[in-house]
Amino acid sequence: MLHRTIHLFRKELRLHDNPVLLAALESSEALYPVYILDRAFLTSSMHIGALRWHFLLQSLEDLHKNLGRLGSCLLVIQGEYETILRDHIQKWNITQVTLDAEMEPFYKEMEANIQRLGAELGFEVLSLVAHSLYDTQRILDLNGGSPPLTYKRFLHILSLLGDPEVPVRNLTAEDFQQSDDKTHVRRIWDMRCRAPDPDLAERYRVPLPVDLKISPESLSPWRGGETEGLQRLEQHLTDQGWVTSFTKPRTIPNSLLPSTTGLSPYFSMGCLSVRAFFYRLSNIYAQAKHHSLPPVSLQGQLLWREFFYTVASATPNFTQMAGNPICLQICWYKDAERLHKWKTAQTGFPWIDAIMTQLRQEGWIHHLARHAVACFLTRGHLWISWEEGMKVFEELLLDADYSINAGNWMWLSASAFFHQYTRIFCPVHFGKRTDPQGDYIRKYLPILKNFPSKYIYEPWTASEDEQKQAGCIIGQDYPFPMVNHKEASDHNLQLMKQVREEQHRTAQLTRDDADDPMEVKVKLDRSEENISKRKVARTTE
Ligand code: FAD
């Protein structure tokens, strides 16, 4: 029997490598592609800032257009998901609901509720994993039911599992068209959407930001959607030399445009398939004489993603300190004023403030820039909980992700995974190494743009006359540093040392010093150096 199906898009907002949508089409005579915009659900699960709302709406609009090209369309229904499903299951005589399987507790709970509804109303539920390379449960099973807690162990388990499943084929208009040939599966986009109720598509159109009262000013230069994501991906993959020599620690945190792929917002919302990217990389590696390896290679980055998904999927209270068995229990300071200064780019350290400004304006910052501001907030200078930083990132990042965000915040605060805690990033020297002229700071903090390069990272050391000449008086137009770097970092180092001695066993749980991708020593030869430079030049055009 062929089904009448609601396909519920949740995170996999794409038509390429979408296994559950393909399965839905193959098993249905009528298919309703639906996105339920349940604002209460979305905002109670994670903080979503204006930039990400825009990105989400752009991604939905793009999905709608791409479905339109195949003879279908996206129905965006606003309201509480259970009420909407209950209502439309009956209205449309639905016999099956298909959806992407996600691993976050709130999405799992949603799926369980839909299963319950299915049992009550008599429809079937089909869900498939498409957001990660593997079904994380398979990794847990192979590791004896618990998550591998180091990257090395994780890679070992993957070597037993073999390659991830290959991506499914792209969908075509044929998949959505009615076939009169009775030997074929009839796959139709229900005529009701066009004929008896022509208003349906219009009634359930993708809302505009103004409909959701989202400020039109908060627009990131990153445009959401599968189309944009695929274009960016293709652009990167054409430079095969760059792909094969990609070495994460060598990428530049303060180039004016991303020195890494910048694909994270697209992976995060499922506009891009991580499996498709993984296999494209495999093909390029297969044709190359040499290529970099995990943890620093591009595939290695995707495996970090997978690593955090796996650990998060089976660690209680993963996004908080209390009740989280792998996380050090630390008495962080509670200081709303200092937190606010960090969040709003008023620390008085131009490197930190420029990064936080880029984050607020664009919703994306480089991995090492994330390192700098996360270390500063937590174990480095302010001794404020990583949970506070995680919440700010959650609100501001386009790529905000439940597992990756929390995992990396634990890492940077040395609460789990990372153990070289004596290495504290200096907010003056870190950025100088790759941008001695301070072009990045000049771009994001224009108030400082007229300072000579020797002062750009520490403008408070300029004389009064020099400050006047630069048109910016420190303490008046731009703040003095909120802490003394040496005093604060020395003090916090002692605190961290004490915590780690007291909680030695927890500290060992996720310890493997070979895991640190930034510690991998790499020799630059001239040609590779040129490749890195070319990449930055290309992206800054
Ligand atoms: P590339 O270097 O081009 O890597 C390709 C892809 O691999 C990325 O798009 C991403 O999906 C994945 N990836 C790369 N680095 C990591 C990593 N360290 N951990 C897990 N996956 C990785 N990434 C998010 O996607 N969402 C988050 O919420 C997030 N929060 C972070 C918070 C902190 C404190 C830190 C230090 C890092 C965080 N990251 C997060 C990880 C990383 O910084 C970003 O994934 C990366 O910078 C995105 O840029 P890219 O796409 O150019 O990465």
Side-chain angles (χ1 to χ4, degrees):
M1 184 200 89
L2 288 173
H3 284 289
R4 296 179 57 80
T5 299
I6 286 180
H7 175 70
L8 199 55
F9 285 96
R10 298 200 296 175
K11 276 213 278 176
E12 309 320 305
L13 304 181
R14 61 170 188 269
L15 298 182
H16 73 282
D17 188 31
N18 196 330
V20 72
L21 178 55
L22 180 63
L25 285 161
E26 285 178 346
S27 58
S28 307
E29 59 173 17
L31 181 108
Y32 293 81
V34 167
Y35 182 87
I36 300 182
L37 208 163
D38 183 340
R39 293 190 75 171
F41 171 81
L42 285 172
T43 48
S44 67
S45 341
M46 282 176 82
H47 294 68
I48 306 185
L51 293 178
R52 198 141 55 97
W53 273 114
H54 279 285
F55 194 88
L56 171 64
L57 295 181
Q58 289 164 353
S59 302
L60 293 175
E61 187 59 44
D62 184 61
L63 183 60
H64 172 65
K65 282 192 183 136
N66 290 341
L67 280 165
R69 280 191 200 103
L70 303 184
S72 179
C73 76
L74 180 67
L75 304 173
V76 178
I77 313 182
Q78 294 191 51
E80 198 269 319
Y81 74 86
E82 199 170 323
T83 313
I84 286 174
L85 278 178
R86 213 174 254 287
D87 195 20
H88 289 81
I89 296 290
Q90 280 158 1
K91 222 188 263 178
W92 294 340
N93 297 322
I94 294 301
T95 58
Q96 172 177 254
V97 171
T98 54
L99 69 165
D100 40 284
E102 304 296 346
M103 51 70 55
E104 291 86 349
F106 39 90
Y107 277 126
K108 278 187 176 161
E109 190 186 323
M110 183 198 249
E111 186 176 333
N113 287 340
I114 294 174
Q115 292 275 10
R116 262 196 297 279
L117 202 62
E120 181 193 326
L121 301 181
F123 61 86
E124 289 176 22
V125 179
L126 172 72
S127 76
L128 294 173
V129 173
H131 197 67
S132 47
L133 293 169
Y134 296 87
D135 179 346
T136 53
Q137 189 56 47
R138 292 182 62 210
I139 304 175
L140 301 178
D141 291 346
L142 256 188
N143 196 48
S146 64
L149 291 176
T150 68
Y151 190 72
K152 202 166 151 194
R153 171 87 193 149
F154 175 73
L155 290 189
H156 169 68
I157 299 293
L158 293 196
S159 71
L160 304 177
L161 259 184
D163 288 337
E165 273 182 43
V166 291
V168 299
R169 67 173 175 80
N170 287 349
L171 299 174
T172 64
E174 251 182 32
D175 291 311
F176 287 87
Q177 277 157 13
Q178 183 169 13
S179 162
D180 290 332
D181 179 351
K182 298 286 181 263
T183 61
H184 284 85
V185 177
R186 291 174 75 228
R187 301 161 195 149
I188 59 162
W189 156 235
D190 195 343
M191 295 306 287
R192 272 200 219 204
C193 299
R194 297 182 196 142
D197 190 355
D199 296 341
L200 197 62
E202 175 52 27
R203 183 161 8 121
Y204 294 143
R205 68 175 169 78
V206 180
L208 297 169
V210 62
D211 300 333
L212 303 182
K213 300 190 174 54
I214 297 162
S215 147
E217 280 111 65
S218 342
L219 251 184
S220 165
W222 305 65
R223 195 172 170 77
E226 178 181 18
T227 309
E228 174 80 20
L230 284 171
Q231 270 166 15
R232 286 176 181 246
L233 182 142
E234 292 304 335
Q235 202 188 336
H236 285 291
L237 295 184
T238 50
D239 194 344
Q240 304 202 344
W242 181 75
V243 169
T244 51
S245 64
F246 181 97
T247 305
K248 189 66 168 268
R250 276 203 230 124
T251 58
I252 297 172
N254 37 14
S255 55
L256 296 185
L257 285 169
S259 63
T260 50
T261 64
L263 294 178
S264 51
Y266 302 92
F267 289 129
S268 160
M269 230 162 248
C271 303
L272 285 180
S273 152
V274 72
R275 297 189 307 189
F277 188 50
F278 183 90
Y279 276 101
R280 293 289 298 277
L281 293 175
S282 292
N283 290 342
I284 293 175
Y285 292 162
Q287 289 162 28
K289 275 196 190 136
H290 305 287
H291 62 84
S292 50
L293 293 169
V296 295
S297 61
L298 262 180
Q299 263 186 356
Q301 305 315 300
L302 300 184
L303 297 174
W304 279 112
R305 179 181 186 270
E306 203 71 13
F307 172 70
F308 288 122
Y309 279 162
T310 309
V311 183
S313 71
T315 304
N317 305 308
F318 188 73
T319 57
Q320 60 187 57
M321 180 179 79
N324 180 340
I326 62 168
C327 180
L328 287 175
Q329 303 297 302
I330 297 177
C331 267
W332 300 104
Y333 300 148
K334 285 198 168 47
D335 192 328
E337 200 184 318
R338 285 183 153 206
L339 176 63
H340 182 73
K341 282 188 178 168
W342 174 83
K343 181 179 173 183
T344 53
Q346 298 175 61
T347 68
F349 288 102
W351 163 237
I352 300 296
D353 293 341
I355 297 170
M356 292 307 286
T357 306
Q358 184 188 9
L359 175 61
R360 297 176 73 78
Q361 289 177 358
E362 300 179 5
W364 185 92
I365 48 178
H366 184 277
H367 184 60
L368 290 174
R370 300 181 198 210
H371 274 225
V373 294
C375 178
F376 186 89
L377 179 75
T378 58
R379 68 189 171 86
H381 298 87
L382 303 185
W383 200 258
I384 288 176
S385 168
W386 61 269
E387 286 179 54
E388 298 298 339
M390 181 192 71
K391 284 183 219 155
V392 171
F393 269 30
E394 205 172 276
E395 180 193 336
L396 299 178
L397 276 174
L398 293 176
D399 63 32
D401 179 282
Y402 172 91
S403 315
I404 309 177
N405 199 20
N408 275 286
W409 271 97
M410 276 188 263
W411 180 298
L412 260 299
S413 61
S415 297
F417 308 112
F418 175 75
H419 304 279
Q420 313 289 327
Y421 65 93
T422 52
R423 248 194 295 144
I424 292 180
F425 304 115
C426 170
V428 171
H429 292 115
F430 190 170
K432 258 190 198 170
R433 283 183 305 164
T434 43
D435 180 23
Q437 307 302 319
D439 292 342
Y440 176 81
I441 292 176
R442 290 176 214 280
K443 174 175 177 185
Y444 290 104
L445 300 178
I447 184 75
L448 301 177
K449 74 176 189 303
N450 294 326
F451 274 100
S453 299
K454 65 175 173 177
Y455 296 127
I456 192 82
Y457 286 87
E458 38 192 344
W460 62 92
T461 61
S463 69
E464 235 179 271
D465 275 353
E466 285 165 325
Q467 293 184 22
K468 271 187 197 147
Q469 256 180 8
C472 170
I473 306 298
I474 302 304
Q476 189 180 303
D477 304 314
Y478 180 74
F480 278 109
M482 65 187 289
V483 289
N484 176 299
H485 160 59
K486 184 155 172 27
E487 282 171 15
S489 54
D490 283 354
H491 177 72
N492 293 343
L493 192 62
Q494 291 315 312
L495 291 179
M496 183 55 83
K497 207 168 161 211
Q498 202 180 327
V499 170
R500 299 184 73 89
E501 278 165 10
E502 285 166 9
Q503 297 175 50
H504 181 70
R505 284 185 62 186
T506 310
Q508 292 304 311
L509 277 176
T510 56
R511 179 162 196 151
D512 184 343
D513 293 341
D515 275 0
D516 185 355
M518 298 305 151
E519 266 295 277
V520 175
K521 298 277 179 280
V522 272
K523 272 195 196 155
L524 276 179
D525 70 28
R526 281 232 162 260
S527 59
E528 282 178 329
E529 203 171 23
N530 286 340
I531 288 169
S532 300
K533 280 191 188 139
R534 204 175 60 227
K535 173 66 189 170
V536 174
R538 189 163 69 83
T539 53
T540 51
E541 272 164 15

